[in-house]
Amino acid sequence: RTKIDFMGEDTREARAARAATDEFLALLDALGDAADDAPLGATSVSLDLSHIGLAVDGGGGTGARLAREHLAEIAAAADARG
């Protein structure tokens, strides 16, 4: 069983939240490629919503929207990679 934590929180700029989201997507790509060679078993990736946008604008409407969009993108990528 493997658990991967890419730690970060309270990202207050949209650009930094996008960069964190891109890091998660790259990690999922790498995990997907590794799974082609050997089964990953019970692997999980965890994140903090404030790392991917929730803290932008103090957690108001913009931050909540950004976090939802980024989370949906990450979840879709994880689902596509199994």
Side-chain angles (χ1 to χ4, degrees), residues 14-81:
R15 182 176 19 195
R18 179 71 246 174
T21 300
D22 289 342
E23 287 293 329
F24 280 107
L25 295 172
L27 173 63
L28 292 169
D29 278 341
L31 289 171
D33 291 344
D36 291 341
D37 296 329
L40 293 175
T43 300
S44 67
V45 176
S46 62
L47 58 85
D48 185 323
L49 290 176
S50 68
H51 193 189
I52 60 168
L54 187 60
V56 172
D57 85 351
T62 299
R65 178 188 53 76
L66 208 58
R68 276 193 308 272
E69 290 172 2
H70 290 166
L71 181 60
E73 189 175 352
I74 292 166
D79 185 54
R81 288 158 184 81

